[in-house]
Amino acid sequence: MSATVAMILVLAVGTYAFRLTGPLLHGRVDIPVRVRELLAAAAVVLLVALLATGALTESGGFAGWARPAGVLLGAVLAWRRAPFVVVVLGAAVTTAALRLAGVA
C-alpha cells in the first residue's frame, strides 16, 4: 500500500469518525442557546465568504466584473424566489453576455 492510499484511508476514517460524533453526542451535550445562535451566524458568514471568494477571485486575482455581475443577478433572482433553473441560467447568461460584450 502506498503512502497516498494510506493517507486517503486515514482521512476517510477521520472524516467518518468526525461525522459520526454528531449523532452519537446528540442529546448528551447541552449547547447553550447563545452558542447555537453564534454557530448559526457563523455558518451564514462562512457561506457568504465562500460565495464572495468564488465570485470575485480567479487564480489569485480579481475575476473581472462579468462574474460578480452574474452572481449579483443570481442573488437577486434567488431573493425574488425564482426557480433554481432560472437563477442558474440567469447568472450564467448574464456572465456570458457581459464577457461576449468585452466586459472582463
Side-chain angles (χ1 to χ4, degrees):
M1 179 181 331
S2 71
T4 303
V5 173
M7 185 58 69
I8 290 171
L9 289 175
V10 167
L11 289 173
V13 169
T15 300
Y16 183 75
F18 187 72
R19 295 180 72 117
L20 190 62
T21 56
L24 289 177
L25 294 178
H26 182 71
R28 294 181 183 177
V29 176
D30 188 27
I31 299 174
V33 174
R34 180 70 179 144
V35 173
R36 289 184 193 171
E37 292 172 356
L38 288 174
L39 288 174
V44 172
V45 169
L46 179 63
L47 288 174
V48 169
L50 287 171
L51 176 69
T53 302
L56 298 175
T57 63
E58 181 176 329
S59 300
F62 182 57
W65 292 105
R67 187 187 299 173
V71 171
L72 180 64
L73 180 69
V76 169
L77 290 172
W79 175 56
R80 301 299 299 170
R81 300 191 184 270
F84 181 71
V85 173
V86 173
V87 171
V88 171
L89 287 177
V93 168
T94 300
T95 302
L98 286 174
R99 286 182 177 167
L100 188 64
V103 178

Coordinates of all heavy atoms in Angstrom, one line a residue:
M1 N 0.8 -1.2 0.0 CA 0.0 0.0 0.0 C 0.9 1.2 0.0 O 1.8 1.4 0.8 CB -0.9 0.0 1.2 CG -1.8 1.2 1.3 SD -2.9 1.3 2.8 CE -3.3 -0.3 3.3
S2 N 0.6 2.1 -0.9 CA 1.4 3.3 -1.0 C 1.0 4.3 0.1 O 0.0 4.2 0.7 CB 1.2 4.0 -2.4 OG -0.1 4.5 -2.5
A3 N 1.9 5.3 0.3 CA 1.6 6.3 1.3 C 0.4 7.1 1.0 O -0.4 7.6 1.9 CB 2.8 7.2 1.5
T4 N 0.2 7.3 -0.3 CA -1.0 8.1 -0.7 C -2.3 7.4 -0.4 O -3.3 8.0 0.2 CB -1.0 8.4 -2.3 OG1 0.3 9.1 -2.6 CG2 -2.1 9.2 -2.7
V5 N -2.4 6.1 -0.7 CA -3.6 5.3 -0.4 C -3.8 5.3 1.2 O -4.9 5.4 1.6 CB -3.5 3.9 -1.0 CG1 -4.6 3.1 -0.5 CG2 -3.4 4.0 -2.5
A6 N -2.7 5.1 1.9 CA -2.8 5.1 3.4 C -3.3 6.4 3.9 O -4.2 6.4 4.8 CB -1.4 4.8 4.0
M7 N -2.8 7.5 3.3 CA -3.3 8.8 3.8 C -4.8 9.0 3.4 O -5.5 9.6 4.2 CB -2.4 9.9 3.1 CG -2.8 11.3 3.6 SD -2.6 11.5 5.4 CE -0.8 11.4 5.5
I8 N -5.2 8.6 2.3 CA -6.6 8.7 1.9 C -7.4 7.9 2.8 O -8.5 8.3 3.3 CB -6.8 8.2 0.4 CG1 -6.2 9.3 -0.5 CG2 -8.3 8.0 0.1 CD1 -6.1 8.8 -2.0
L9 N -7.0 6.7 3.2 CA -7.8 5.9 4.1 C -7.9 6.5 5.5 O -8.9 6.5 6.2 CB -7.2 4.5 4.2 CG -7.4 3.6 3.0 CD1 -6.6 2.3 3.1 CD2 -8.8 3.4 2.7
V10 N -6.7 7.1 6.0 CA -6.7 7.7 7.3 C -7.7 8.9 7.3 O -8.5 9.1 8.2 CB -5.3 8.2 7.6 CG1 -5.3 9.1 8.8 CG2 -4.4 7.0 8.0
L11 N -7.6 9.7 6.2 CA -8.5 10.9 6.1 C -10.0 10.4 6.0 O -10.9 11.1 6.6 CB -8.1 11.7 4.9 CG -6.8 12.5 5.1 CD1 -6.5 13.2 3.8 CD2 -6.9 13.5 6.2
A12 N -10.2 9.3 5.3 CA -11.6 8.8 5.2 C -12.1 8.4 6.5 O -13.3 8.7 6.9 CB -11.7 7.7 4.2
V13 N -11.3 7.7 7.3 CA -11.7 7.2 8.6 C -11.9 8.4 9.5 O -12.9 8.4 10.3 CB -10.7 6.2 9.2 CG1 -11.0 5.9 10.7 CG2 -10.7 4.9 8.4
G14 N -11.0 9.4 9.5 CA -11.2 10.6 10.3 C -12.4 11.3 10.0 O -13.1 11.8 10.8
T15 N -12.7 11.5 8.7 CA -13.9 12.2 8.3 C -15.2 11.4 8.7 O -16.1 12.0 9.3 CB -14.0 12.3 6.7 OG1 -12.8 13.0 6.3 CG2 -15.2 13.0 6.3
Y16 N -15.2 10.1 8.6 CA -16.3 9.3 9.0 C -16.5 9.5 10.5 O -17.6 9.6 11.0 CB -16.2 7.9 8.6 CG -17.3 7.0 9.0 CD1 -18.5 7.1 8.3 CD2 -17.3 6.2 10.1 CE1 -19.6 6.3 8.6 CE2 -18.4 5.4 10.4 CZ -19.5 5.5 9.7 OH -20.6 4.7 10.0
A17 N -15.4 9.4 11.3 CA -15.5 9.5 12.7 C -16.0 10.9 13.2 O -16.8 11.0 14.1 CB -14.1 9.2 13.4
F18 N -15.5 11.9 12.5 CA -16.0 13.3 12.8 C -17.5 13.4 12.5 O -18.2 14.0 13.3 CB -15.2 14.3 11.9 CG -15.4 15.7 12.3 CD1 -14.9 16.2 13.5 CD2 -16.2 16.5 11.4 CE1 -15.2 17.5 13.8 CE2 -16.4 17.8 11.8 CZ -15.9 18.3 13.0
R19 N -17.9 12.8 11.4 CA -19.4 12.9 11.1 C -20.2 12.1 12.1 O -21.4 12.4 12.3 CB -19.6 12.5 9.7 CG -19.0 13.5 8.7 CD -19.2 13.0 7.3 NE -20.6 13.3 7.0 CZ -21.0 14.1 6.0 NH1 -20.2 14.7 5.3 NH2 -22.3 14.3 5.8
L20 N -19.6 11.0 12.6 CA -20.3 10.1 13.5 C -20.5 10.7 14.9 O -21.5 10.3 15.6 CB -19.6 8.8 13.6 CG -20.3 7.6 14.3 CD1 -21.6 7.3 13.5 CD2 -19.4 6.4 14.4
T21 N -19.7 11.7 15.2 CA -19.8 12.2 16.6 C -21.1 13.0 16.8 O -21.6 13.0 17.9 CB -18.6 13.2 16.9 OG1 -18.6 14.2 15.9 CG2 -17.3 12.4 17.0
G22 N -21.6 13.6 15.7 CA -22.9 14.3 15.8 C -24.0 13.5 16.3 O -24.6 13.7 17.4
P23 N -24.3 12.4 15.6 CA -25.4 11.5 16.1 C -25.1 10.9 17.4 O -26.0 10.6 18.2 CB -25.6 10.5 15.0 CG -25.0 11.1 13.8 CD -23.9 12.0 14.2
L24 N -23.9 10.5 17.7 CA -23.5 9.9 18.9 C -23.7 10.8 20.1 O -24.1 10.4 21.2 CB -22.1 9.3 18.9 CG -21.9 8.1 18.0 CD1 -20.5 7.7 18.0 CD2 -22.8 7.0 18.4
L25 N -23.4 12.1 19.9 CA -23.4 13.1 21.1 C -24.8 13.8 21.1 O -25.0 14.5 22.1 CB -22.3 14.1 20.9 CG -20.9 13.6 21.1 CD1 -19.9 14.7 20.9 CD2 -20.7 12.9 22.4
H26 N -25.6 13.5 20.2 CA -26.9 14.2 20.2 C -27.7 13.8 21.5 O -27.9 12.7 21.8 CB -27.8 13.8 19.0 CG -29.1 14.4 18.9 ND1 -29.2 15.8 18.6 CD2 -30.3 14.0 19.1 CE1 -30.5 16.1 18.6 NE2 -31.2 15.0 18.9
G27 N -28.1 14.8 22.2 CA -28.8 14.6 23.4 C -27.9 14.5 24.6 O -28.4 14.5 25.8
R28 N -26.6 14.3 24.5 CA -25.7 14.1 25.6 C -25.0 15.4 26.0 O -24.6 15.5 27.1 CB -24.7 13.0 25.3 CG -25.3 11.7 25.1 CD -24.2 10.7 24.9 NE -24.8 9.3 24.6 CZ -24.2 8.3 24.3 NH1 -22.9 8.3 24.2 NH2 -24.8 7.1 24.2
V29 N -24.9 16.3 25.0 CA -24.2 17.5 25.2 C -25.3 18.7 25.1 O -26.0 18.7 24.1 CB -23.1 17.8 24.2 CG1 -22.4 19.1 24.4 CG2 -22.1 16.6 24.3
D30 N -25.3 19.5 26.2 CA -26.3 20.6 26.2 C -25.5 21.9 25.7 O -24.6 22.3 26.3 CB -26.8 20.8 27.6 CG -27.9 21.9 27.5 OD1 -28.6 22.0 26.5 OD2 -28.1 22.5 28.6
I31 N -25.9 22.4 24.5 CA -25.3 23.5 24.0 C -26.1 24.8 24.3 O -27.4 24.8 24.1 CB -25.2 23.4 22.5 CG1 -24.3 22.2 22.1 CG2 -24.6 24.7 21.8 CD1 -24.2 21.9 20.7
P32 N -25.5 25.8 25.0 CA -26.3 27.0 25.3 C -26.9 27.6 24.1 O -26.4 27.5 23.0 CB -25.3 27.9 26.0 CG -24.1 27.0 26.3 CD -24.2 25.9 25.4
V33 N -28.0 28.3 24.3 CA -28.7 29.0 23.2 C -27.8 30.0 22.5 O -27.9 30.1 21.3 CB -30.0 29.7 23.8 CG1 -30.7 30.5 22.7 CG2 -30.9 28.6 24.4
R34 N -27.0 30.8 23.3 CA -26.2 31.8 22.7 C -25.2 31.1 21.7 O -24.9 31.7 20.7 CB -25.4 32.6 23.8 CG -24.5 33.6 23.3 CD -25.3 34.8 22.7 NE -24.4 35.8 22.2 CZ -24.6 36.5 21.1 NH1 -25.7 36.4 20.4 NH2 -23.7 37.4 20.8
V35 N -24.6 30.0 22.1 CA -23.7 29.3 21.3 C -24.4 28.8 20.0 O -23.8 28.9 18.9 CB -23.0 28.1 22.0 CG1 -22.1 27.3 21.1 CG2 -22.2 28.6 23.2
R36 N -25.6 28.3 20.1 CA -26.3 27.9 18.9 C -26.5 29.0 18.0 O -26.4 28.9 16.8 CB -27.7 27.3 19.3 CG -27.6 26.0 20.0 CD -28.9 25.4 20.3 NE -28.9 24.3 21.2 CZ -29.9 23.7 21.8 NH1 -31.1 24.2 21.5 NH2 -29.7 22.7 22.5
E37 N -26.9 30.2 18.5 CA -27.1 31.4 17.7 C -25.8 31.8 17.0 O -25.8 32.1 15.8 CB -27.6 32.6 18.5 CG -29.0 32.4 19.1 CD -29.4 33.4 20.1 OE1 -28.5 34.3 20.4 OE2 -30.5 33.4 20.5
L38 N -24.7 31.7 17.7 CA -23.4 32.1 17.1 C -23.0 31.1 16.0 O -22.4 31.5 15.0 CB -22.3 32.1 18.2 CG -22.4 33.4 19.1 CD1 -21.3 33.3 20.2 CD2 -22.2 34.6 18.3
L39 N -23.3 29.8 16.3 CA -23.0 28.8 15.2 C -23.8 29.0 14.0 O -23.3 28.8 12.9 CB -23.2 27.4 15.8 CG -22.1 26.9 16.8 CD1 -22.5 25.6 17.4 CD2 -20.8 26.8 16.2
A40 N -25.1 29.4 14.2 CA -25.9 29.6 13.0 C -25.4 30.8 12.2 O -25.3 30.8 11.0 CB -27.3 29.8 13.4
A41 N -25.0 31.9 13.0 CA -24.4 33.1 12.3 C -23.1 32.7 11.6 O -22.8 33.2 10.5 CB -24.3 34.2 13.3
A42 N -22.3 31.9 12.3 CA -21.0 31.5 11.7 C -21.2 30.8 10.4 O -20.4 31.0 9.4 CB -20.2 30.7 12.7
A43 N -22.2 29.9 10.3 CA -22.5 29.2 9.1 C -22.8 30.2 8.0 O -22.3 30.0 6.8 CB -23.6 28.2 9.3
V44 N -23.6 31.2 8.3 CA -24.0 32.2 7.2 C -22.8 32.9 6.8 O -22.6 33.2 5.6 CB -25.1 33.1 7.8 CG1 -25.4 34.2 6.8 CG2 -26.4 32.3 8.0
V45 N -22.0 33.4 7.7 CA -20.8 34.1 7.4 C -19.8 33.3 6.6 O -19.2 33.8 5.6 CB -20.1 34.6 8.7 CG1 -18.7 35.2 8.4 CG2 -20.9 35.7 9.4
L46 N -19.7 32.0 6.9 CA -18.8 31.1 6.1 C -19.3 31.0 4.7 O -18.5 31.1 3.7 CB -18.7 29.8 6.8 CG -17.8 28.8 6.1 CD1 -16.4 29.2 6.0 CD2 -17.9 27.4 6.8
L47 N -20.6 30.8 4.5 CA -21.1 30.7 3.2 C -21.0 31.9 2.4 O -20.7 31.9 1.2 CB -22.6 30.2 3.3 CG -22.8 28.8 3.7 CD1 -24.3 28.5 3.9 CD2 -22.2 27.8 2.7
V48 N -21.2 33.1 3.0 CA -21.0 34.3 2.3 C -19.6 34.5 1.9 O -19.3 35.0 0.8 CB -21.6 35.5 3.2 CG1 -21.2 36.9 2.6 CG2 -23.1 35.4 3.3
A49 N -18.7 34.2 2.8 CA -17.2 34.3 2.5 C -16.8 33.4 1.3 O -16.1 33.8 0.4 CB -16.4 34.0 3.7
L50 N -17.4 32.2 1.3 CA -17.1 31.3 0.2 C -17.7 31.8 -1.1 O -17.0 31.8 -2.2 CB -17.6 29.9 0.5 CG -16.9 29.1 1.5 CD1 -17.7 27.8 1.9 CD2 -15.5 28.7 1.0
L51 N -18.9 32.4 -1.0 CA -19.5 32.9 -2.2 C -18.7 34.1 -2.7 O -18.5 34.2 -4.0 CB -20.9 33.4 -1.9 CG -21.7 34.1 -3.0 CD1 -22.0 33.1 -4.2 CD2 -22.9 34.7 -2.5
A52 N -18.3 35.0 -1.9 CA -17.5 36.2 -2.3 C -16.2 35.8 -2.9 O -15.8 36.3 -3.9 CB -17.3 37.1 -1.1
T53 N -15.5 34.8 -2.3 CA -14.3 34.4 -2.8 C -14.4 33.7 -4.2 O -13.7 34.0 -5.1 CB -13.6 33.3 -1.8 OG1 -13.5 33.9 -0.6 CG2 -12.3 32.9 -2.4
G54 N -15.4 32.9 -4.3 CA -15.7 32.3 -5.6 C -16.1 33.3 -6.7 O -15.9 33.1 -7.9
A55 N -16.9 34.3 -6.3 CA -17.4 35.2 -7.3 C -16.4 36.3 -7.7 O -16.5 36.8 -8.8 CB -18.7 35.9 -6.7
L56 N -15.5 36.6 -6.8 CA -14.6 37.8 -7.0 C -13.2 37.4 -7.4 O -12.5 38.3 -8.0 CB -14.6 38.7 -5.8 CG -15.9 39.3 -5.4 CD1 -15.8 40.1 -4.1 CD2 -16.4 40.2 -6.5
T57 N -12.7 36.2 -7.2 CA -11.3 35.9 -7.4 C -11.2 34.7 -8.4 O -12.1 33.9 -8.5 CB -10.6 35.5 -6.1 OG1 -11.2 34.4 -5.6 CG2 -10.6 36.7 -5.1
E58 N -10.1 34.7 -9.1 CA -9.8 33.6 -10.0 C -8.3 33.6 -10.2 O -7.6 34.6 -10.5 CB -10.4 33.8 -11.4 CG -10.1 32.7 -12.4 CD -10.9 32.9 -13.7 OE1 -12.0 33.5 -13.7 OE2 -10.3 32.5 -14.7
S59 N -7.7 32.5 -9.9 CA -6.2 32.3 -9.9 C -5.5 33.4 -9.1 O -4.4 33.9 -9.5 CB -5.7 32.4 -11.4 OG -6.3 31.4 -12.1
G60 N -6.0 33.7 -8.0 CA -5.3 34.6 -7.1 C -5.5 36.1 -7.4 O -5.0 36.9 -6.7
G61 N -6.3 36.4 -8.4 CA -6.5 37.8 -8.7 C -8.0 38.1 -8.9 O -8.9 37.2 -8.7
F62 N -8.3 39.3 -9.3 CA -9.7 39.7 -9.5 C -10.3 39.0 -10.7 O -9.6 38.9 -11.8 CB -9.8 41.2 -9.6 CG -11.2 41.7 -9.8 CD1 -12.1 41.5 -8.9 CD2 -11.5 42.5 -10.9 CE1 -13.4 42.0 -9.0 CE2 -12.8 43.0 -11.1 CZ -13.8 42.7 -10.1
A63 N -11.5 38.5 -10.6 CA -12.1 37.7 -11.7 C -12.7 38.5 -12.8 O -13.1 38.0 -13.8 CB -13.1 36.7 -11.1
G64 N -12.7 39.8 -12.6 CA -13.4 40.7 -13.6 C -14.8 41.0 -13.1 O -15.3 40.5 -12.2
W65 N -15.4 41.9 -13.9 CA -16.7 42.4 -13.5 C -17.9 41.5 -14.0 O -19.0 41.6 -13.4 CB -16.9 43.8 -14.0 CG -16.0 44.8 -13.3 CD1 -14.9 45.4 -13.8 CD2 -16.1 45.2 -11.9 NE1 -14.3 46.1 -12.8 CE2 -15.0 46.1 -11.7 CE3 -17.0 45.0 -10.9 CZ2 -14.8 46.7 -10.4 CZ3 -16.8 45.6 -9.7 CH2 -15.8 46.4 -9.5
A66 N -17.6 40.7 -15.0 CA -18.7 39.9 -15.5 C -19.2 38.9 -14.5 O -20.5 38.7 -14.3 CB -18.3 39.2 -16.8
R67 N -18.3 38.2 -13.8 CA -18.8 37.1 -12.9 C -19.5 37.7 -11.7 O -20.6 37.2 -11.3 CB -17.6 36.3 -12.4 CG -18.0 35.1 -11.6 CD -16.9 34.3 -11.0 NE -16.0 33.8 -12.0 CZ -14.9 33.2 -11.6 NH1 -14.5 33.1 -10.4 NH2 -14.1 32.7 -12.6
P68 N -19.0 38.8 -11.0 CA -19.8 39.3 -9.9 C -21.1 39.8 -10.4 O -22.1 39.7 -9.6 CB -18.9 40.5 -9.4 CG -17.5 40.1 -9.8 CD -17.7 39.4 -11.1
A69 N -21.2 40.4 -11.6 CA -22.5 40.8 -12.1 C -23.5 39.7 -12.2 O -24.6 39.8 -11.9 CB -22.3 41.6 -13.4
G70 N -23.0 38.5 -12.8 CA -23.8 37.4 -12.9 C -24.2 36.8 -11.5 O -25.4 36.4 -11.3
V71 N -23.3 36.8 -10.6 CA -23.7 36.3 -9.2 C -24.7 37.3 -8.6 O -25.6 36.8 -7.9 CB -22.4 36.2 -8.4 CG1 -22.7 35.9 -6.9 CG2 -21.5 35.1 -8.9
L72 N -24.5 38.6 -8.8 CA -25.5 39.5 -8.3 C -26.8 39.3 -8.8 O -27.8 39.3 -8.1 CB -25.0 40.9 -8.5 CG -25.9 42.1 -8.0 CD1 -25.9 42.0 -6.5 CD2 -25.4 43.4 -8.5
L73 N -26.9 39.1 -10.1 CA -28.2 38.8 -10.7 C -28.8 37.5 -10.2 O -30.0 37.5 -9.9 CB -28.1 38.8 -12.3 CG -29.5 38.5 -12.9 CD1 -30.4 39.7 -12.8 CD2 -29.3 38.1 -14.4
G74 N -28.0 36.5 -10.1 CA -28.5 35.2 -9.5 C -29.0 35.4 -8.1 O -30.0 34.8 -7.7
A75 N -28.3 36.3 -7.3 CA -28.7 36.5 -5.9 C -30.1 37.2 -5.9 O -30.9 36.9 -5.1 CB -27.7 37.3 -5.2
V76 N -30.2 38.2 -6.8 CA -31.5 38.9 -6.9 C -32.6 38.0 -7.3 O -33.7 38.0 -6.7 CB -31.4 40.1 -7.8 CG1 -32.8 40.7 -8.1 CG2 -30.4 41.2 -7.2
L77 N -32.3 37.1 -8.3 CA -33.4 36.2 -8.7 C -33.7 35.2 -7.6 O -34.9 34.8 -7.4 CB -32.9 35.4 -9.9 CG -32.8 36.2 -11.2 CD1 -32.2 35.4 -12.3 CD2 -34.2 36.7 -11.6
A78 N -32.7 34.7 -6.8 CA -33.0 33.8 -5.7 C -33.8 34.5 -4.6 O -34.6 33.9 -4.0 CB -31.6 33.3 -5.2
W79 N -33.4 35.8 -4.4 CA -34.1 36.6 -3.4 C -35.6 36.8 -3.8 O -36.5 36.7 -2.9 CB -33.4 37.9 -3.2 CG -34.1 38.9 -2.3 CD1 -34.5 38.6 -1.0 CD2 -34.6 40.2 -2.6 NE1 -35.1 39.8 -0.5 CE2 -35.2 40.7 -1.4 CE3 -34.5 41.0 -3.7 CZ2 -35.7 42.0 -1.4 CZ3 -35.0 42.2 -3.7 CH2 -35.6 42.7 -2.5
R80 N -35.8 36.9 -5.1 CA -37.2 37.0 -5.6 C -37.9 35.7 -5.7 O -39.0 35.6 -6.3 CB -37.2 37.8 -6.9 CG -36.6 39.2 -6.8 CD -37.3 40.1 -5.9 NE -38.7 40.3 -6.3 CZ -39.6 40.9 -5.6 NH1 -39.3 41.4 -4.4 NH2 -40.8 41.0 -6.1
R81 N -37.2 34.6 -5.2 CA -37.8 33.3 -5.2 C -38.1 32.7 -6.6 O -39.1 32.1 -6.9 CB -39.0 33.2 -4.4 CG -38.7 33.5 -2.9 CD -39.9 33.2 -2.0 NE -39.6 33.6 -0.7 CZ -39.0 32.9 0.2 NH1 -38.6 31.7 -0.1 NH2 -38.8 33.3 1.5
A82 N -37.2 33.0 -7.6 CA -37.3 32.5 -8.9 C -36.9 31.0 -8.8 O -36.2 30.6 -7.9 CB -36.4 33.2 -9.9
P83 N -37.4 30.2 -9.8 CA -37.0 28.8 -9.8 C -35.5 28.6 -9.9 O -34.8 29.5 -10.5 CB -37.7 28.2 -11.0 CG -38.9 29.1 -11.2 CD -38.4 30.5 -10.8
F84 N -34.9 27.6 -9.4 CA -33.5 27.4 -9.4 C -32.9 27.4 -10.8 O -31.8 28.0 -11.0 CB -33.2 26.0 -8.7 CG -31.7 25.7 -8.6 CD1 -30.9 26.5 -7.7 CD2 -31.1 24.8 -9.4 CE1 -29.5 26.2 -7.7 CE2 -29.8 24.5 -9.3 CZ -29.0 25.2 -8.5
V85 N -33.6 26.8 -11.7 CA -33.1 26.8 -13.1 C -33.0 28.2 -13.6 O -32.0 28.6 -14.3 CB -34.0 25.9 -14.0 CG1 -33.6 26.0 -15.4 CG2 -33.9 24.5 -13.5
V86 N -33.9 29.0 -13.3 CA -33.9 30.4 -13.8 C -32.8 31.2 -13.1 O -32.1 32.0 -13.8 CB -35.3 31.1 -13.5 CG1 -35.2 32.6 -13.8 CG2 -36.4 30.4 -14.2
V87 N -32.5 30.9 -11.8 CA -31.4 31.6 -11.1 C -30.1 31.2 -11.8 O -29.3 32.1 -12.1 CB -31.4 31.2 -9.6 CG1 -30.1 31.7 -9.0 CG2 -32.6 31.7 -9.0
V88 N -29.9 29.9 -12.0 CA -28.6 29.5 -12.6 C -28.4 30.0 -14.0 O -27.4 30.5 -14.4 CB -28.5 27.9 -12.5 CG1 -27.3 27.4 -13.3 CG2 -28.4 27.5 -11.1
L89 N -29.5 29.8 -14.8 CA -29.4 30.3 -16.2 C -29.2 31.8 -16.3 O -28.5 32.3 -17.1 CB -30.6 29.8 -17.0 CG -30.6 28.3 -17.3 CD1 -31.8 27.9 -18.0 CD2 -29.4 27.9 -18.1
G90 N -29.9 32.5 -15.4 CA -29.8 34.0 -15.5 C -28.4 34.4 -15.1 O -27.9 35.3 -15.8
A91 N -27.8 33.8 -14.1 CA -26.5 34.2 -13.8 C -25.5 33.8 -14.9 O -24.6 34.6 -15.2 CB -26.1 33.5 -12.4
A92 N -25.6 32.6 -15.4 CA -24.7 32.2 -16.5 C -24.8 33.0 -17.7 O -23.8 33.4 -18.3 CB -24.9 30.7 -16.8
V93 N -26.1 33.3 -18.1 CA -26.3 34.0 -19.4 C -25.8 35.5 -19.2 O -25.2 36.1 -20.1 CB -27.8 34.0 -19.8 CG1 -28.1 35.0 -20.8 CG2 -28.1 32.6 -20.2
T94 N -26.0 36.0 -18.0 CA -25.5 37.4 -17.8 C -24.0 37.5 -17.8 O -23.4 38.3 -18.5 CB -26.0 37.9 -16.4 OG1 -27.4 37.9 -16.4 CG2 -25.5 39.3 -16.1
T95 N -23.4 36.5 -17.2 CA -21.9 36.5 -17.2 C -21.4 36.3 -18.6 O -20.5 37.0 -19.1 CB -21.4 35.4 -16.3 OG1 -21.8 35.6 -15.0 CG2 -19.9 35.3 -16.3
A96 N -22.0 35.4 -19.4 CA -21.5 35.1 -20.7 C -21.8 36.3 -21.6 O -20.9 36.6 -22.5 CB -22.3 33.9 -21.3
A97 N -22.9 36.9 -21.5 CA -23.2 38.1 -22.3 C -22.3 39.2 -22.1 O -21.8 39.9 -23.0 CB -24.7 38.5 -22.1
L98 N -21.9 39.5 -20.8 CA -21.0 40.5 -20.5 C -19.6 40.2 -21.0 O -18.9 41.1 -21.5 CB -21.0 40.8 -18.9 CG -22.2 41.5 -18.4 CD1 -22.1 41.5 -16.8 CD2 -22.3 42.9 -18.9
R99 N -19.2 39.0 -20.9 CA -17.9 38.6 -21.4 C -17.9 38.7 -22.9 O -16.9 39.1 -23.5 CB -17.5 37.2 -21.0 CG -17.1 37.1 -19.5 CD -16.7 35.8 -19.1 NE -16.3 35.8 -17.7 CZ -16.1 34.8 -16.9 NH1 -16.3 33.6 -17.4 NH2 -15.7 34.9 -15.7
L100 N -19.0 38.3 -23.6 CA -19.1 38.5 -25.0 C -19.0 39.9 -25.4 O -18.5 40.3 -26.5 CB -20.4 37.8 -25.5 CG -20.6 37.7 -27.0 CD1 -19.5 36.8 -27.6 CD2 -21.9 37.2 -27.4
A101 N -19.6 40.8 -24.6 CA -19.5 42.2 -24.9 C -18.2 42.9 -24.6 O -18.0 44.1 -24.8 CB -20.7 42.9 -24.1
G102 N -17.3 42.1 -24.0 CA -16.0 42.6 -23.8 C -15.7 43.1 -22.4 O -14.7 43.6 -22.0
V103 N -16.7 42.9 -21.5 CA -16.5 43.2 -20.1 C -15.9 42.0 -19.4 O -16.4 40.9 -19.4 CB -17.9 43.5 -19.4 CG1 -17.7 43.7 -17.9 CG2 -18.6 44.6 -20.1
A104 N -14.7 42.1 -19.0 CA -13.9 41.0 -18.4 C -14.3 40.8 -17.0 O -14.8 40.7 -16.2 CB -12.4 41.2 -18.5

